[in-house]
Amino acid sequence: MAADNQNHHHPSHGDNNYTDLSQVLAPGSSNPATPRLPPISAPPSQFHSPSLSRSPLLVLSPDRVVTAPVSATRTPRGGARTPGRLRTPRFITPLGSPLRKALHMTRLDPNDAWLPITESRNGNAAYAAFHTLCSGIGIQALVLPVAFTALGWAWGIICLTLAFTWQLYTLYILVQLHESVDTGVRYSRYLQLATAALGERFTKLLATFPILYLSAGTSMASIVIGGSTLKLLFQTICGGACSSAHDPTTVEWYLIFTFAAVLLAQLPNLNSIAGVSLVGAVTAVGYCTNIWAVSVAEGRMPGVSYDPVRAGSDLERLLSVLNAVGIVAFAFRGHNLVLEIQATMPSSEKHPSTVPMWKGVKFAYALIAMCIFPLAIGGYWAYGQLVCKLIYHGQDTSRFILGLTSFFVVVNAVSSFQLYAMPTFDQMESMVVTRLKGPCPWWIRASLRVGFGFACFFVAVAMPFLVGVGFGR
């Protein structure tokens, strides 16, 4: 029994079967018999990613001594050990660790809990559908019949179908790229995915300014569209009875709309505006359906022609076709918000966020297809080449339909403002969070959002040519 106890004693740091890994990993190791191994590191994207949804990096701190038996360093094939050679144990490798997958541990950047995009991660497929539908359809779709005047029936439908298919395909790619299956890294913002693809230097040059410019430009466009339509709604409701010198001017209607948008922008995070996105999605479907249904119900205009417009020279003809293709591409938007919307969802090894996100995207784009295809085809059928001179039977439509459609446009513009401004809100607040090393105080958050809203108003009024970017992607 004494011999057995001697043979089965508990291991200690002094045993020969155990090796102190601090001697291997320490930069200044003085043990000549133990070769130094290269430092174990993770890809740069993991260190800079604000969200490691399920894959922690198991690294050794300098003041922590980890010991492991030499027997643990054998290869899976059971090859013979080489004296004096130590292999890194599998449990400290950052990638592909069985221990990590078994424990499903989560490591998140603390800043994520303080920023509006990732502050709440209890989203679901329904929230994704609301956000995607509200951001994916807009006033741009109303000009689709104009593209058919240059392309004609056949090429117009072909270009519209190809553009819709390409939009859905690229959205699918973005949804899959949001989360790495191997490392668990979540790219919760478009800038983070750009950094992983292009590097930090090229991201600053090629991605940061366009993304923020698009966010601000779309917000400015929402102010212009919402303010102008609000004025039209006022005139439709009042008719000629309200016309006077004291009526608000167009700039004042912009200001009224900005007040409403800024007030709604005080909702703290992206998940908290899911109800706003639902209302915006319903109104977007509503005004698109109203317009194409009225066009079809009123019938074709007298003297309608469906022959494509032919310009004089070949160059003019080419430019006309390119302009029509641009109008078709112009009708689709929302790529710059897909990663942010998916970031609001929880994710785990068994339940990745890609599944509910893709369900929401499919539902949203089924509704978008039911809006834009009837709008383009029905509008062109009713007006033909006259579509450039008419505004959807405006003279023959009841004031109720015109007022309801204008109301839908205004509500959708207010809702779209919240979604497209969120990346800029997140970027501004991230600077504050980084500086304070804590959550952004409510009064700073409110001040930043109010300042952004009125800055967009100022640019929309003073430099309206910059607003054109908001009608793009």
Side-chain angles (χ1 to χ4, degrees):
M1 293 297 293
D4 292 340
N5 292 335
Q6 293 177 359
N7 293 334
H8 295 85
H9 66 279
H10 294 287
S12 62
H13 293 292
D15 294 334
N16 295 330
N17 291 335
Y18 283 78
T19 303
D20 192 344
L21 289 187
S22 61
Q23 297 179 2
V24 179
L25 298 178
S29 176
S30 59
N31 187 358
T34 306
R36 289 169 51 191
L37 294 182
I40 302 169
S41 62
S45 61
Q46 288 194 350
F47 289 113
H48 297 292
S49 169
S51 175
L52 296 176
S53 64
R54 58 180 189 272
S55 301
L57 298 180
L58 302 179
V59 295
L60 297 177
S61 57
D63 58 345
R64 182 179 177 185
V65 177
V66 180
T67 59
V70 177
S71 58
T73 64
R74 295 180 180 177
T75 62
R77 297 182 180 180
R81 286 180 294 176
T82 303
R85 181 176 179 82
L86 179 64
R87 294 182 177 88
T88 306
R90 289 178 57 84
F91 70 86
I92 67 170
T93 57
L95 306 178
S97 170
L99 178 61
R100 181 200 64 197
K101 293 182 179 180
L103 295 178
H104 300 289
M105 291 186 293
T106 301
R107 177 185 172 187
L108 300 176
D109 190 325
N111 290 353
D112 267 5
W114 301 324
L115 297 178
I117 289 178
T118 50
E119 189 175 35
S120 173
R121 289 189 185 269
N122 59 354
N124 51 44
Y127 285 12
F130 302 158
H131 293 315
T132 304
L133 183 56
C134 183
S135 63
I137 189 170
I139 201 75
Q140 299 92 335
L142 301 183
V143 297
L144 279 173
V146 177
F148 279 57
T149 61
L151 298 174
W153 278 116
W155 283 108
I157 294 175
I158 290 173
C159 289
L160 185 59
T161 304
L162 289 176
F164 179 82
T165 305
W166 181 255
Q167 172 86 354
L168 202 57
Y169 170 69
T170 50
L171 285 175
Y172 174 78
I173 292 177
L174 284 174
V175 169
Q176 299 302 317
L177 289 176
H178 172 84
E179 191 168 6
S180 173
V181 178
D182 296 330
T183 64
V185 178
R186 295 185 70 178
Y187 302 103
S188 299
R189 295 160 184 83
Y190 208 98
L191 283 173
Q192 294 166 6
L193 185 61
T195 302
L198 304 175
E200 292 186 6
R201 179 182 177 184
F202 285 103
T203 297
K204 292 179 181 178
L205 295 175
L206 303 177
T208 303
F209 178 73
I211 290 172
L212 297 180
Y213 187 43
L214 175 59
S215 175
T218 308
S219 302
M220 298 174 205
S222 297
I223 292 175
V224 173
I225 294 170
S228 302
T229 311
L230 198 57
K231 179 181 179 181
L232 180 62
L233 176 62
F234 175 79
Q235 295 173 346
T236 302
I237 294 175
C238 294
C242 297
S243 298
S244 67
H246 301 289
D247 289 347
T249 63
T250 302
V251 174
E252 290 171 341
W253 284 115
Y254 289 177
L255 186 60
I256 294 172
F257 179 89
T258 304
F259 271 112
V262 165
L263 181 63
L264 204 56
Q266 301 310 312
L267 292 173
N269 54 63
L270 189 54
N271 257 343
S272 66
I273 64 171
V276 176
S277 295
L278 173 60
V279 175
V282 171
T283 53
V285 173
Y287 72 70
C288 288
T289 303
N290 273 353
I291 290 174
W292 73 257
V294 168
S295 301
V296 173
E298 294 290 341
R300 291 188 294 179
M301 299 292 293
V304 168
S305 172
Y306 301 114
D307 296 328
V309 176
R310 300 298 180 187
S313 64
D314 293 338
L315 179 60
E316 291 177 345
R317 209 171 294 160
L318 175 63
L319 294 177
S320 177
V321 171
L322 292 177
N323 181 60
V325 173
I327 290 174
V328 173
F330 175 76
F332 298 96
R333 62 179 192 169
H335 277 96
N336 61 313
L337 293 174
V338 173
L339 297 176
E340 284 79 356
I341 294 171
Q342 192 171 348
T344 63
M345 298 182 179
S347 185
S348 64
E349 200 79 30
K350 294 183 179 180
H351 304 285
S353 61
T354 55
V355 176
M357 182 63 190
W358 182 237
K359 287 181 180 178
V361 169
K362 288 189 294 185
F363 178 80
Y365 271 83
L367 293 180
I368 290 175
M370 289 189 286
C371 290
I372 62 172
F373 280 93
L375 185 62
I377 296 172
Y380 186 60
W381 174 83
Y383 304 104
Q385 299 302 327
L386 302 176
V387 71
C388 298
K389 303 177 182 179
L390 300 173
I391 307 178
Y392 297 102
H393 286 96
Q395 302 298 327
D396 305 328
T397 307
S398 67
R399 287 171 55 189
F400 172 76
I401 297 297
L402 290 176
L404 182 63
T405 303
S406 299
F407 174 75
F408 283 166
V409 172
V410 171
V411 174
N412 175 256
V414 174
S415 304
S416 297
F417 181 94
Q418 313 307 318
L419 272 175
Y420 279 92
M422 194 59 70
T424 304
F425 293 163
D426 188 87
Q427 186 70 16
M428 292 189 301
E429 292 178 29
S430 68
M431 298 178 184
V432 178
V433 167
T434 303
R435 186 177 184 85
L436 298 180
K437 301 186 185 304
C440 183
W442 70 268
W443 60 272
I444 295 182
R445 170 177 286 185
S447 302
L448 289 174
R449 297 187 180 193
V450 170
F452 171 79
F454 284 100
C456 290
F457 164 77
F458 174 79
V459 175
V461 173
M463 294 175 281
F465 58 91
L466 292 177
V467 178
V469 70
F471 293 93
R473 303 300 297 167

